[in-house]
Amino acid sequence: MSARPFAVLLRGMGALAVVVAAVTAGYLAHSQASVTAPAAVAPASRLVTLVTGERVAVTQVDARHITAALDQGALDQGAAGGRRRKFQTLSTGTAQYVIPDEALPYLGRQLDLSLFDVAAPPGDLTVAWAAGTSPHAIPGLALRPDSASARVSSGPALAAALAQDSGALDGVTAIRAAGAPVPVSPHFNLATLVVKGLDGLGAVAGGGTVSVVNIDDAQRFVSLSSFFNGTVAFSVPEGHYSLTVDIATPASGATGAFEALVVLPQVSVAAPQTVVVADARTATALVPVPRTPLPSQAEQFAATLDRVSASGAQVTFTEGFIGGIPTLYVTPVPGVATGALHWYTYFRLTGAGVLYDVEFPSDNGIPAQSPTQVAEGSLARLDAAYHSDVADHPIATYRASFQPWETFSLRPVSPATAPLRRVEYVTGRPDIAWVGALVWQVDEFNGIDQAPRTTYRAGQRVPDVYLTAPLAPGVDGGVVLAQPCAACRQGDTLGLNVLPWSDGGHALNQLTPSATLDVSTDARLYADGTLLQQGSLPAGSVAVPHDAASYRLTLDTTKSATWTTTATRTSTAWTWRSAARTGTLPAARTCPDGTQSCAFEPLLFVGYDLGADLSNALAAGTAATVGVRVFHETFNTGVDADALTLDVSTDDGATWTAAAVRAQGGGVFAATLVPASGAGFLSLRVHASDPLGGTIDQTVIRAVRVVQGG
């Protein structure tokens, strides 16, 4: 859709040229100064389907940071690759809006912003009709008999009707999420802010959106709406505002189409009315696609602007493109007098066997000149390996990023086929935390294997490995940003954050039952033999008896699908001794109440280095050196495990054979295994202990595949 101008005549709206957007109670911004982490919870993903059909996998990785993956396949709706698509996001800390391009021309008038909040996705919808209008069918919506409420029956059908400008919303004045905050009268003097748009040819803007943020205090007003006949208006508290205006200019003669991002960083608004002109001709700074050391072409582009108000509250706006990257100009901003302005551009560029994720940040306004090439010396090299139990399995990959001020990062996914090995380069800077991830089952957008947040140094070379066998219970090994402890105690409260599936510190999230996947988890916590809690995951805060001394935690998992054949069952049991503890955790870990005033519990975890190939297989009849590491969660300096036994089964655990184990110190053990001919899988059983009496018993059925030679 982005290849055509955003001029959409909103039928049924009459001669309306100015629509007033009232202050909405839900548009509250995030305040960096008042962030407090909640009780410890495991990183978790959930799949959100927008009302227009696009799927977004949202992962709450800790109290402050959220990654999101936008399903590019759903965006394309089966279209040929390379078709340009556009999206915008707006993050206020309490809400994260993801708006695809087909909805942008209707935003703020017939389609309310509440429809696109992935933090609180809508269920039922309310539909308002213009006076005298006879309600009619709307493609993709199932209207109830009262015609004032509805539910989405087909997001793609609604998206198609919007993209075709079919008149589907004739007579509709508003569709919003049921229960969305209603306009309220704030305790401020109100004024009307009128924004008029001019395109790059000086003509009335044919389309585009306007983001408005109060920079005295972003919690007073935040909104995003679209132009109608080149004009949009907002009813706002008097004060100072920052505007970010997207304007498309159609091709004319020898001049090709281009886009402008007009930034007005500080506008004074007074009653009764203030008129502001956003002129695309003031966006003079070209944002070129940078050249890379190896040949590549742009797949994705995003420009992100974060505006911090005088109160410290902030709002983040992103404009992104997938497929064809437009010619984009932006308004240079040398600095701001109120609050702060952060800016960066992000590119994903792909070539033969190589991928680049590069970012160009600025904390001092928007530069007049953007880089034209990626300096080889600015990059870190990641030797990426995407494992798969089955051949030629479709996956999708993405890499989110976080600036120090950033809390929400959305990236469209890129299609790929696993097993896959390739070189991936990222911008190596201490102020950029990267989060690599893949979507395991693309058709269902199911299974997010997410690496810990990591900063890289320029010139660094490291492995980046996904879905390596076996997937077993573990912990997130991230060290960059604060996250809940995996196991810690604060007085008589135990905090747990254990992952049911992990591959070397990665967190496998959003693995949910589906048409192709059967999956289950069961966790139980005992104190002195008494069951305290049972649930699906060992996550959250648990009140424990003050005098109990002996604890046991069990976690059993099952998964079965044609696209995952290893680790079909795992059974893990931890035992340790505990008492009310005092101490202080490092800054990168938080206690159940969000502080650091507690102490780690001495749980042991097991990591495996089986030497399997990209298909998670060992060769029958060939000796393989297997490494097993027994460790505590990151930053826990508890005593190392000093004993381990390892048993191996070729019949899914019906019989077991002990393997000779060599202790190598520091909790590391090794064994030599020779998979028998005819075996399809090896199952593993581990028992490990430390000198303080802590133990872990872990069984992984079908831990690794066995392939026959010749």
Side-chain angles (χ1 to χ4, degrees), residues 245-478:
V245 185
D246 157 60
I247 299 175
T249 299
S252 176
T255 303
F258 62 92
E259 303 244 357
L261 202 58
V262 180
V263 180
L264 303 173
Q266 186 153 329
V267 174
S268 297
V269 177
Q273 176 175 288
T274 298
V275 179
V276 175
V277 176
D279 190 339
R281 292 170 295 184
T282 65
T284 57
L286 175 66
V287 181
V289 175
R291 298 188 303 276
T292 51
L294 296 173
S296 67
Q297 60 182 10
E299 177 194 291
Q300 298 177 24
F301 165 76
T304 294
L305 184 147
D306 181 74
R307 196 66 171 93
V308 183
S309 62
S311 70
Q314 69 182 70
V315 175
T316 307
F317 171 85
T318 293
E319 180 169 76
F321 297 87
I322 310 165
I325 308 302
T327 300
L328 176 70
Y329 293 89
V330 64
T331 305
V333 177
V336 295
T338 301
L341 186 152
H342 305 289
W343 165 265
Y344 71 82
T345 54
Y346 160 83
F347 294 87
R348 168 161 278 202
L349 307 110
T350 58
V354 67
L355 179 146
Y356 293 90
D357 286 306
V358 295
E359 198 160 294
F360 302 105
S362 171
D363 288 327
N364 299 305
I366 301 174
Q369 290 187 327
S370 295
T372 58
Q373 62 183 22
V374 179
E376 187 169 6
S378 69
L379 299 172
R381 171 174 169 163
L382 311 184
D383 294 321
Y386 299 92
H387 291 238
S388 176
D389 298 347
V390 299
D392 301 323
H393 182 64
I395 61 170
T397 73
Y398 62 98
R399 183 168 281 113
S401 63
F402 289 102
Q403 295 287 321
W405 46 264
E406 196 167 13
T407 60
F408 179 71
S409 180
L410 178 137
R411 297 285 183 254
V413 301
S414 303
T417 302
L420 171 66
R421 193 184 301 277
R422 69 183 175 195
V423 175
E424 300 181 356
Y425 292 98
V426 301
T427 300
R429 289 176 55 123
D431 58 347
I432 303 177
W434 294 100
V435 180
L438 69 75
V439 181
W440 194 353
Q441 179 66 358
V442 176
D443 289 347
E444 300 168 350
F445 225 52
N446 198 355
I448 308 296
D449 189 21
Q450 182 168 277
R453 285 151 295 163
T454 307
T455 58
Y456 299 100
R457 302 186 310 274
Q460 186 178 13
R461 179 174 179 176
V462 294
D464 193 27
V465 181
Y466 299 84
L467 295 181
T468 182
L471 296 173
V475 292
D476 189 325

